[in-house]
Amino acid sequence: TEQSNGTSYSIVAVAIITLETFAGLWINAFIVSVLCIAWVKEKSLNSSEKILLLLGWFRFWYLCISWVYSFLAIIYPEYLCVHPTLQIVEGIRSFFICSNLWVSASLCVFYCIKIANFRNSFFIYLKVKIDRIVPWLLLGSVLFSLLIGILVYNIIDKAICHNLNFTCHGIAWKSSIRVKEHFFPMFFIIGMEFAISFMTVTFSALLLLFSLWRHKRTMETNSMKNLSMDAHIKAMKSILSFFMMYSINFISLILTLIYATEVQNPMIFLNYVSLYAFPVVHSLTLIFSNPKLEKTLLRIL
């Protein structure tokens, strides 16, 4: 009975994750394809479209590698025991997770700097230079994510090869010393990255909200209407919706770290569902907030 329950649980888990992955792959492939075609035709992309292009690319491959990892962990856990499969998969997966987080945070920062109005000299300087800063910001995100991926690979490889007795049953680690002590550096590094990116998104949303409130107050005082108000509100809706999804995603990532070494915990499955849903829902939000992508999608449909 327990074996049949475990089999049915595995089938349901893989089916749900596969459906979410397929939807996410289609949506992000659409974003990348439309922007690449526009790039070829127009010979250039604006800064927001460059961020969207890179974000769609990273999310596509993140979903691919995450689906492979989930499929192996749930259906064929013994394949992850072949050295160094687990280290490679976790390292690549960490790279794409970090890339998604930082490029998404970069998009929020871009919206904040581009649309918010503050008289601070440093903020004005950033507003003028933001288009030149974006490529360096994206390059820094990729290099930092690559560093995280290498660190995760080395930490897992060292823990498995030197400190732990690795067993294939349920991808479990057994040792006289607690497992989480071995992986604490990895949990700390990734957790700090989650926290910093989450704080970046939160700070950007708060700044844009404050700018919107102040701008609205000025317009009401002067009995004027301004087109920038619509831009503020549209960007605010996009960032607030992203902030809500980002909060759920952040909680799921932290819970995944907490339950990472526990076998067959229901929280792992719930977190997987949430983590796979995030690239789908947020990418759809980005499509409908971009006129070029929205028109193309509606034309196709």
Side-chain angles (χ1 to χ4, degrees), residues 220-239:
E220 289 175 349
T221 303
N222 298 330
S223 300
M224 295 171 57
K225 290 185 177 180
N226 198 324
L227 291 176
S228 64
M229 177 68 74
D230 295 333
H232 268 77
I233 294 174
K234 189 173 182 179
M236 197 66 240
K237 287 180 180 178
S238 179
I239 288 187

Side-chain angles (χ1 to χ4, degrees), residues 59-80:
R59 281 184 173 168
F60 180 88
W61 289 108
Y62 160 72
L63 288 168
C64 288
I65 193 68
S66 294
W67 183 85
V68 170
Y69 174 81
S70 300
F71 181 80
L72 292 177
I74 295 172
I75 303 298
Y76 299 111
E78 63 273 7
Y79 284 100
L80 288 176

Side-chain angles (χ1 to χ4, degrees), residues 24-125:
L25 289 175
W26 188 89
I27 292 168
N28 287 284
F30 167 79
I31 293 175
V32 173
S33 300
V34 171
L35 293 177
C36 284
I37 292 171
W39 195 358
V40 172
K41 287 182 177 180
E42 300 171 9
K43 305 298 182 182
S44 64
L45 290 175
N46 59 43
S47 296
S48 63
E49 289 173 342
K50 290 176 183 176
I51 299 174
L52 287 175
L53 176 60
L54 194 62
L55 183 60
W57 175 261
F58 280 136
R59 281 184 173 168
F60 180 88
W61 289 108
Y62 160 72
L63 288 168
C64 288
I65 193 68
S66 294
W67 183 85
V68 170
Y69 174 81
S70 300
F71 181 80
L72 292 177
I74 295 172
I75 303 298
Y76 299 111
E78 63 273 7
Y79 284 100
L80 288 176
C81 299
V82 180
H83 183 82
T85 305
L86 181 63
Q87 296 94 305
I88 293 174
V89 172
E90 281 288 3
I92 297 174
R93 189 162 164 261
S94 298
F95 167 74
F96 284 114
I97 289 175
C98 296
S99 299
N100 279 311
L101 288 174
W102 283 111
V103 176
S104 300
S106 299
L107 185 63
C108 285
V109 171
F110 174 80
Y111 281 147
C112 177
I113 294 174
K114 201 73 175 177
I115 296 173
N117 291 317
F118 294 104
R119 295 180 180 177
N120 182 275
S121 58
F122 181 68
F123 192 86
I124 294 173
Y125 172 81

Side-chain angles (χ1 to χ4, degrees), residues 26 30 34 37 41 287-288 291-301:
W26 188 89
F30 167 79
V34 171
I37 292 171
K41 287 182 177 180
I287 288 174
F288 288 108
K292 185 183 296 183
L293 293 172
E294 184 180 9
K295 287 180 182 178
T296 307
L297 179 63
L298 293 177
R299 196 186 313 125
I300 291 173
L301 293 177

Side-chain angles (χ1 to χ4, degrees), residues 109-144:
V109 171
F110 174 80
Y111 281 147
C112 177
I113 294 174
K114 201 73 175 177
I115 296 173
N117 291 317
F118 294 104
R119 295 180 180 177
N120 182 275
S121 58
F122 181 68
F123 192 86
I124 294 173
Y125 172 81
L126 289 177
K127 185 182 284 288
V128 173
K129 298 290 186 181
I130 186 61
D131 290 322
R132 294 183 180 180
I133 294 174
V134 163
W136 294 103
L137 193 63
L138 296 178
L139 179 61
S141 300
V142 173
L143 292 178
F144 184 75

